[in-house]
């Protein structure tokens, strides 16, 4: 965990606050790679603390600061509202070290798709693609220009950046974007409906797609949830997880260390190796292939399809 200082706050667009975070003693910050995010811990007096993930949108070579952009979400639990209303220059915030779920690797041809605030992890990726001399294009969609962050920054890339503004009737044509991707890998971040549609198109076309989701729209608890046993292979303990309980909570109660952060299936911190058994994946971290392979699972929300799991804990 890092305690950083808000060095500056600017409006990146309507409803989007850009924060620059630095070490209070001026130390270098831990390294990161394009596509990484940090967890921001939001302590609210008299209310439960929240943890939210924000992509780093600055330059990985600049070890003096992390840059994030916070979209104010009125419908959420209040984390982003709290940041918008309370975070000021000079304040301290607790954040995790950067974590990379995108595993971005520059290739000769790349297609980037961003919806709204999903532009944030894409910015350092296109900078890396440009620096590597890759052939790339960015498709960036938003509601209206005033709500689309970093438009000015993207102008330097000329016609490699295609902008779609829905209030002007402009829409991304996903089938043709995927069809044109051919041998390219597609990196995408944005609202669930955009990523769902893109996953469907890419799956049909057999195109390589890497997405990152900020929210977990999977159902994490159902009426039909059943009890199951989890054997912890490293510690030799066995725990029982009842409906309404999480593996993570039961593991922690048993005194077995298990890292966690968001506890909602979005950050990837609680990823755990599966030794045996069939996980019932309910997170937003793993893609379809990783779910099928089931080598790992997110134990904060995912469960067991059968009666028993063996986990490397
Ligand atoms: S703690 Fe974040 S995915 Fe489980």
């Amino acid at each position: 965990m890092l305690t950083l200082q808000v060095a500056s706050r600017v409006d990146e667009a309507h409803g989007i606050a850009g924060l620059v975070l630095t070490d209070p003693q001026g130390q270098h910050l831990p390294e990161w790679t394009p596509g990484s995010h940090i967890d921001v811990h939001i302590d609210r007096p008299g209310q439960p603390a929240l943890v939210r993930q924000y992509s780093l949108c600055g330059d990985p070579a600049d070890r003096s600061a992390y840059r994030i952009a916070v979209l104010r979400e009125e419908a959420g639990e209040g984390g982003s509202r709290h940041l918008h209303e309370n975070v000021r220059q000079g304040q301290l915030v607790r954040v995790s070290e950067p974590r990379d779920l995108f595993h971005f690797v520059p290739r000769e041809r790349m297609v980037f798709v961003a919806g709204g605030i999903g532009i944030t992890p894409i910015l350092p990726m296109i900078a890396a693609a440009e620096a590597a001399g890759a052939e790339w294009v960015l498709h960036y969609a938003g509601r209206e220009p005033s709500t689309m962050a970093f438009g000015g920054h993207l102008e330097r890339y000329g016609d490699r950046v295609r902008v779609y503004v829905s209030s002007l009737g402009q829409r991304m044509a996903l089938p043709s974007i995927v069809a044109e991707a051919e041998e390219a890998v597609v990196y995408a971040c944005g609202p669930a409906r955009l990523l769902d549609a893109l996953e469907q198109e890419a799956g049909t076309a057999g195109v390589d797609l890497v997405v990152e989701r900020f929210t977990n729209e999977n159902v994490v608890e159902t009426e039909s949830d059943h009890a199951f046993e989890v054997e912890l292979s490293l510690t030799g303990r066995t725990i029982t997880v009842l409906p309404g309980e999480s593996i993570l909570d039961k593991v922690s109660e048993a005194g077995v260390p298990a890292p966690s952060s968001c506890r909602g299936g979005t950050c990837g911190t609680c990823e755990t190796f599966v030794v045996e058994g069939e996980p019932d994946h309910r997170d937003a971290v793993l893609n379809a292939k990783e779910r099928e392979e089931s080598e790992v699972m997110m134990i904060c929300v995912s469960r067991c399809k059968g009666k028993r799991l063996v986990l490397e804990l």
Side-chain angles (χ1 to χ4, degrees):
M1 186 75 74
L2 309 167
T3 300
L4 302 184
Q5 191 159 38
V6 178
S8 72
R9 173 184 171 157
V10 294
D11 288 336
E12 297 290 3
H14 181 69
I16 299 179
L19 303 179
V20 176
L21 308 174
T22 57
D23 180 88
Q25 273 80 46
Q27 303 286 320
H28 273 175
L29 300 178
E31 287 180 317
W32 59 283
T33 45
S36 297
H37 68 264
I38 53 173
D39 298 338
V40 176
H41 292 251
I42 304 168
D43 298 315
R44 304 174 301 167
Q47 289 179 284
L50 295 171
V51 180
R52 291 288 176 268
Q53 288 75 48
Y54 293 103
S55 295
L56 296 174
C57 54
D59 176 3
D62 177 7
R63 303 277 307 278
S64 69
Y66 291 156
R67 288 166 194 274
I68 58 172
V70 179
L71 169 68
R72 181 177 175 126
E73 293 187 85
E74 299 300 342
E77 286 178 87
S80 64
R81 274 203 309 281
H82 181 85
L83 289 175
H84 268 256
E85 287 166 10
N86 296 284
V87 168
R88 300 280 173 267
Q89 188 176 4
Q91 274 184 355
L92 297 178
V93 289
R94 289 185 303 129
V95 309
S96 70
E97 293 206 5
R99 202 166 28 247
D100 181 9
L101 296 179
F102 251 120
H103 308 301
F104 173 72
V105 181
R107 296 214 204 147
E108 264 174 47
R109 295 189 65 235
M110 279 175 281
V111 174
F112 300 98
V113 176
I117 195 66
I119 188 64
T120 50
I122 302 292
L123 289 178
M125 290 195 234
I126 59 176
E130 182 76 5
E135 189 187 320
W136 64 270
V137 60
L138 163 66
H139 299 274
Y140 177 23
R143 269 201 330 278
E144 44 192 290
S146 65
T147 63
M148 296 176 72
F150 306 110
H153 172 87
L154 291 168
E155 278 172 11
R156 73 188 66 183
Y157 298 118
D159 62 5
R160 285 179 187 258
V161 177
R162 322 245 164 101
V163 175
Y164 308 80
V165 182
S166 60
S167 65
L168 301 177
Q170 301 164 345
R171 303 250 181 254
M172 275 190 205
L174 293 182
S176 58
I177 288 172
V178 169
E180 281 169 23
E182 291 172 0
E183 299 293 295
V185 59
V186 180
Y187 287 92
C189 187
R193 64 180 183 288
L194 169 67
L195 300 182
D196 290 346
L198 197 52
E199 276 184 339
Q200 199 166 352
E201 292 293 341
T204 308
V207 164
D208 234 354
L209 170 70
V210 186
V211 304
E212 185 175 50
R213 295 172 186 268
F214 288 128
T215 53
N216 186 5
E217 303 203 349
N218 297 302
V219 177
V220 295
E221 260 184 54
T222 71
E223 299 236 319
S224 57
D225 283 348
H226 60 271
F228 56 94
E229 289 202 331
V230 182
E231 186 183 323
L232 312 180
S233 68
L234 299 180
T235 44
R237 309 275 303 265
T238 297
I239 56 170
T240 302
V241 181
L242 300 175
E245 296 178 335
S246 76
I247 300 176
L248 175 66
D249 286 343
K250 296 304 292 260
V251 165
S252 305
E253 276 170 33
V256 176
S260 69
S261 183
C262 72
R263 305 177 81 87
T266 57
C267 74
T269 311
C270 67
E271 180 176 287
T272 302
F273 279 108
V274 178
V275 181
E276 248 181 77
E278 198 179 354
D280 181 352
H281 296 289
R282 299 182 182 186
D283 61 274
V285 176
L286 300 180
N287 61 30
K289 184 164 172 278
E290 291 164 331
R291 282 175 171 230
E292 202 178 312
E293 291 168 353
S294 278
E295 287 180 1
V296 294
M297 67 185 290
M298 303 304 140
I299 60 170
C300 61
V301 290
S302 296
R303 303 184 67 81
C304 174
K305 285 190 177 161
K307 290 278 174 211
R308 186 168 165 276
L309 280 174
V310 182
L311 300 179
E312 194 177 283
L313 280 168

